[in-house]
Amino acid sequence: MARGGDVRFWGLDFPEPLPEREAEISAADLVATFSAGWTLGEVQSMLRSEGLLIPHGGLCLEHPASQWPVRAADLTLEQAIGFDFPHALGHLYGGWTDWVLGLTVEDANSPGSEVKLGSRVVKSVAGYDGQKLFCGALGAFGRIVSVTLRVYPLSVPLHADLRGSGGPPSEDCVLHRVRPADLAALEATVGEHALALDRLGAWAVYPLGQKEDPPLRFAGDQLWRYGQVPELNPAARRLLTQAKVQLDPNDQHQPALWRPA
Amino acid sequence: MPTTDRLRDGLAREIGAERILSGPSVERTYESDAYNVDRSQPTVVVLPESTDEVAKVVRWCRREGIPFTARGAGTGLSGGAMPALGGVVISTKKLNRILEIDLPNRRMRAQAGVTNIALSKAVAAHGLHFAPDPSSQTVATLGGNIAENSGGPHTLKYGVTAPHILGLTLIDAEGEILELERGFGPDWIGMVVGSEGTLGVVTEAWVRLTPVPEHVETALACFGTVREASECVSAIISRGVLPAALEMMDRNILMALRAAFGLEFPDATQAMLLVECDGPREACRQEIEAVEQAFRDFGAITQQRARDAAERAKLWTARKKGVGAMGRLAPSVVTHDGVIPRSKLPEMLDAVYEIAARYQIGVANLFHAGDGNLHPCFYFDDRDPRQVEAVVAAGTEVIQKCIELGGSVTGEHGIGVEKLDLMGLMFSPGDLAYQARLKEIFGTNELCNPCKVLPNQRGCQEHRLRWRGVAT
């Protein structure tokens, strides 16, 4: 995959990265603010030079055998937050929704104006945490301009336990949230095809068998075909519809997303 | 507002007369939470036992145009559970059941009225606990923790309430039951947690169960200056240590503790740091040794490490009894809540002492230093109007300084009604208008806990500004 703006995944176009490239890192505060157009790989490199990191295990990040179609390090921060892909260290360190302390976003309802959400400190309960809605929204609510993140010291233990093959060879596979109790059984069933991403059993990716349906046997929290936008539950779909009305009333961003057929 | 009888009759048809309370004693009991500066009496209080009953109450209120406000234990510190426009208080007192414990997957489903401590007790024998630990945890409820996104001393490592909520049941402002779960798509749970009960009423939640740490080390150090102690805080974090807790107390707190409980410390002490590390035994030992090295590097007068659980509890005494001891200092104490980047602690604390001196009021500090979450406590005589005026002005200046240094107007007490007028310090009018649209996602909800979080809502009284902060 080409870096930055060339991402086309699940049939969704992400717009070109915004041109700004600013970075402000405070090791003493474990907080950093970046323009959203930096790639995750670039950000990790800047943080590493300060003795810091984002504990994102990636969907193959730093996994040399990987041939996967998505390298997390190549995503811009805007894309990474928008996709909010599960990653190898999620069970230990959370994900974007835990790390994003604040965002500056373009107000889709008022072209040219920017809005600040959240804060730039590790702890704040002032106002509504709108920044969290942008995590996993696939860009549906508008452009992210800059991101303030909680970051971690390089010394945090990285327990990611990558196993199995180098990853699925095609999109014909399943990404499945596996509960700890099911992980061993899953590995036993799908063997080398499984890539168990977390020793505590966070996520697994494995080929979708032609005659079997592993998800029926493993009662995980979530499941989606790797090649498709995941479905939302009815409550989340209802809220998403209302959010589009409020935040992107002209439907300028990802207009086809999550629309009923 | 309809009469009490009309509300009682209408709600009785929904959930039964036996679970509806009214009368003067009820009105007084529910007129405020632990922030008792602003008060407003409800017309009735309802005690539903299930999600369906809460939904019935909300739908009825919506049909009749009656404001409704959810309430847990009433320990909130910014007026979030105060029924600002009267109407119906929905108490979660009878939503008090743990519904399911899923040990293999380290999660538990409980109703909103279960206390924080009960969640941990229910799984303690299995080496698990519910990590958020607000100081009110013996009485504060899960629903209240969710509404306020509660923190506590161990937030530094384990985070506030939000990351520990895996799913929840929300009755939105329209009375619809929404089952929200962690998963793909926007983080709706993250939006609901910390919304102070203004987006609906949470009736149940799946909570994450965290293993009790294998090993814990606790150390305490006394410093000859506040600056040395506050610089040591940043140094500990900069050295790659992420303690479970990193708390600071200044001399005025320590003097109150000495008077109240005989706390011993060197006379030259101006500030005390309490640091707790936890995790695997060897990693924990390395971390606490790094902390102790930082103590030495920043000139600690004395330091000690707990050798067992009893000693650990003794070291925590100063932190846990500090607020109670403040009563020794003056008739009234007001506790503030603000956040700054932790690297700004030395500058911020200088400012707090300067502001207090300029207004000629006493101030003591005990706070979550690792998070940069300040709790300056002004002590004064509230019978003197000039002192009250000084406390109001000083409190506002402290929060303004937090914002000037890149911080937040609140780290864990919430906006409620207390800090409505300070939201403009942190957010522009455009930001606040956007937040109003975020609120609308959950329904047109002028009736759902009105007059909280966002300023300038229709029909809401301005903050009375007798003083700001939590009065004790």
Side-chain angles (χ1 to χ4, degrees):
Chain A
M1 172 186 293
R3 64 183 285 275
D6 251 357
V7 171
R8 186 174 171 80
F9 194 63
W10 286 331
L12 299 170
D13 284 319
F14 260 74
E16 285 292 316
L18 295 170
E20 291 78 14
R21 291 291 183 275
E22 292 174 5
E24 186 182 335
I25 300 170
S26 173
D29 298 317
L30 296 181
V31 168
T33 300
F34 298 101
S35 300
W38 290 110
T39 64
L40 182 55
E42 290 168 333
V43 164
Q44 294 283 36
S45 176
M46 283 186 274
L47 289 171
R48 198 173 292 119
S49 67
E50 301 281 340
L52 302 168
L53 85 166
I54 300 167
H56 189 295
L59 261 180
C60 62
L61 188 69
E62 297 178 336
H63 184 15
S66 175
Q67 298 294 320
W68 289 20
V70 173
R71 273 177 35 88
D74 290 333
L75 297 176
T76 64
L77 286 180
E78 182 180 26
Q79 292 163 343
I81 291 167
F83 283 125
D84 194 19
F85 281 135
H87 67 100
L89 301 170
H91 206 76
L92 295 168
Y93 298 106
W96 291 106
T97 188
D98 303 303
W99 307 328
V100 174
L101 302 172
L103 293 177
T104 301
V105 301
E106 288 184 354
D107 184 350
N109 198 26
S110 178
S113 64
E114 294 181 354
V115 172
K116 190 177 74 171
L117 300 166
S119 73
R120 294 177 66 136
V121 284
V122 295
K123 195 176 182 187
S124 174
V125 289
Y128 296 113
D129 284 340
Q131 72 275 14
K132 291 181 183 282
L133 293 192
F134 282 76
C135 299
L138 295 172
F141 303 143
R143 302 295 308 266
I144 299 173
V145 177
S146 69
V147 186
T148 297
L149 296 167
R150 176 178 186 159
V151 295
Y152 288 72
L154 267 178
S155 59
V156 298
L158 300 178
H159 293 300
D161 184 9
L162 302 178
R163 281 169 281 177
S165 66
S170 71
E171 290 188 347
D172 191 18
C173 58
V174 174
L175 188 54
H176 186 198
R177 178 75 167 85
V178 183
R179 294 176 186 170
D182 292 332
L183 183 58
L186 172 67
E187 289 180 296
T189 302
V190 295
E192 289 187 355
H193 297 295
L195 185 64
L197 289 174
D198 186 320
R199 67 175 184 159
L200 295 176
W203 291 89
V205 178
Y206 49 92
L208 185 62
Q210 291 185 347
K211 294 183 179 178
E212 61 180 1
D213 188 6
L216 295 178
R217 280 187 267 148
F218 301 105
D221 292 335
Q222 194 179 49
L223 161 74
W224 66 82
R225 287 285 292 273
Y226 197 59
Q228 298 173 349
V229 178
E231 279 299 309
L232 301 177
N233 80 9
R237 178 178 284 278
R238 174 191 157 131
L239 290 173
L240 186 96
T241 302
Q242 291 163 194
K244 286 292 278 185
V245 170
Q246 292 297 329
L247 306 181
D248 182 24
N250 297 320
D251 208 8
Q252 300 172 76
H253 299 276
Q254 308 295 14
L257 186 61
W258 286 308
R259 281 262 177 80
Chain B
M1 181 71 65
T3 63
T4 303
D5 286 345
R6 196 183 136 211
L7 260 66
R8 282 191 69 97
D9 292 346
L11 288 164
R13 284 192 288 275
E14 300 294 328
I15 62 169
E18 69 282 5
R19 288 211 290 282
I20 301 168
L21 308 175
S22 62
S25 63
V26 170
E27 290 165 3
R28 280 196 301 277
T29 301
Y30 290 89
E31 68 184 4
S32 75
D33 55 17
Y35 174 76
N36 55 17
V37 176
D38 290 300
R39 298 163 192 257
S40 176
Q41 296 185 339
T43 307
V44 299
V45 175
V46 297
L47 301 166
E49 290 186 347
S50 68
T51 293
D52 284 343
E53 288 188 354
V54 174
K56 285 179 182 175
V57 170
V58 169
R59 287 177 201 142
W60 186 87
C61 287
R62 186 168 174 78
R63 277 200 308 275
E64 300 294 324
I66 307 295
F68 56 94
T69 300
R71 178 186 170 108
T75 56
L77 297 172
S78 57
M82 184 265 285
L85 297 182
V88 177
V89 163
I90 301 173
S91 169
T92 60
K93 190 180 175 73
K94 289 186 179 292
L95 290 165
N96 57 3
R97 287 175 295 139
I98 290 174
L99 301 169
E100 188 176 350
I101 297 175
D102 180 7
L103 290 175
N105 298 306
R106 293 178 181 165
R107 59 184 194 150
M108 170 162 51
R109 187 163 65 100
Q111 289 184 305
V114 177
T115 63
N116 174 296
I117 198 74
L119 296 171
S120 288
K121 282 183 176 174
V123 290
H126 303 283
L128 299 169
H129 75 303
F130 179 55
D133 61 341
S135 57
S136 56
Q137 68 180 152
T138 54
V139 290
T141 61
L142 172 59
N145 291 173
I146 290 171
E148 301 295 328
N149 199 8
S150 300
H154 292 84
T155 294
L156 179 58
K157 182 171 183 178
Y158 293 99
V160 287
T161 298
H164 301 279
I165 303 301
L166 302 175
L168 53 80
T169 304
L170 176 80
I171 313 300
D172 74 7
E174 315 274 351
E176 292 295 319
I177 300 172
L178 301 182
E179 301 286 351
L180 301 175
E181 57 191 25
R182 294 261 177 223
F184 196 83
D187 179 14
W188 301 110
I189 290 175
M191 176 78 185
V192 171
V193 177
S195 60
E196 304 190 17
T198 61
L199 304 182
V201 182
V202 172
T203 57
E204 296 176 13
W206 278 102
V207 304
R208 184 193 305 281
L209 299 175
T210 303
V212 174
E214 172 191 325
H215 190 68
V216 180
E217 294 279 7
T218 307
L220 180 148
C222 296
F223 293 82
T225 69
V226 170
R227 183 163 279 267
E228 285 169 340
S230 52
E231 288 176 346
C232 186
V233 169
S234 284
I236 289 169
I237 303 292
S238 298
R239 293 178 185 189
V241 177
L242 189 58
L246 205 176
E247 304 284 301
M248 183 167 164
M249 294 136 278
D250 74 0
R251 180 175 179 80
N252 287 341
I253 285 283
L254 298 176
M255 294 301 286
L257 283 157
R258 177 182 278 178
F261 303 110
L263 183 76
E264 294 176 4
F265 54 89
D267 285 340
T269 302
Q270 292 295 325
M272 182 184 279
L273 289 184
L274 176 72
V275 183
E276 190 158 280
C277 298
D278 66 19
R281 183 177 294 272
E282 181 56 23
C284 192
R285 185 189 61 76
Q286 289 176 11
E287 282 198 336
I288 205 70
E289 286 176 359
V291 168
E292 289 171 332
Q293 184 60 50
F295 286 166
R296 288 190 287 276
D297 292 346
F298 284 84
I301 302 168
T302 60
Q303 57 178 291
Q304 61 187 114
R305 195 197 303 187
R307 286 170 296 188
D308 53 37
E311 285 196 1
R312 183 176 310 122
K314 192 175 174 189
L315 294 190
W316 271 96
T317 300
R319 179 61 183 91
K320 294 200 169 177
K321 293 190 173 178
V323 171
M326 291 288 292
R328 298 274 177 152
L329 298 177
S332 291
V333 179
V334 162
T335 303
H336 287 268
D337 172 43
V339 185
I340 41 117
R342 70 171 75 79
S343 61
K344 306 288 187 187
L345 262 180
E347 183 180 349
M348 184 68 212
L349 288 171
D350 285 349
V352 168
Y353 292 119
E354 185 277 322
I355 290 166
R358 182 155 37 85
Y359 284 99
Q360 298 181 311
I361 50 177
V363 67
N365 289 283
L366 81 167
F367 60 99
H368 312 306
D371 295 321
N373 188 184
L374 296 174
H375 292 312
C377 306
F378 291 118
Y379 48 94
F380 63 107
D381 186 342
D382 70 338
R383 294 165 296 189
D384 178 354
R386 286 172 302 179
Q387 288 192 47
V388 172
E389 197 176 312
V391 166
V392 171
T396 302
E397 277 198 38
V398 165
I399 300 302
Q400 285 171 332
K401 184 69 178 177
C402 287
I403 300 304
E404 183 187 318
L405 294 177
S408 170
V409 298
T410 173
E412 57 187 13
H413 291 185
I415 296 297
V417 291
E418 181 208 355
K419 287 181 172 165
L420 283 173
D421 58 325
L422 296 183
M423 285 287 278
L425 292 177
M426 194 167 165
F427 298 105
S428 71
D431 297 339
L432 292 172
Y434 196 87
Q435 291 200 32
R437 283 153 56 197
L438 290 171
K439 184 180 178 186
E440 289 291 312
I441 293 169
F442 290 80
T444 303
N445 52 12
E446 290 173 344
L447 300 174
C448 181
N449 200 9
C451 309
K452 313 290 170 63
V453 183
L454 296 177
N456 303 318
Q457 294 180 53
R458 194 167 56 188
C460 296
Q461 270 189 311
E462 290 301 309
H463 174 62
R464 292 174 193 166
L465 213 61
R466 201 149 58 85
W467 60 64
R468 195 186 303 286
V470 181
T472 51

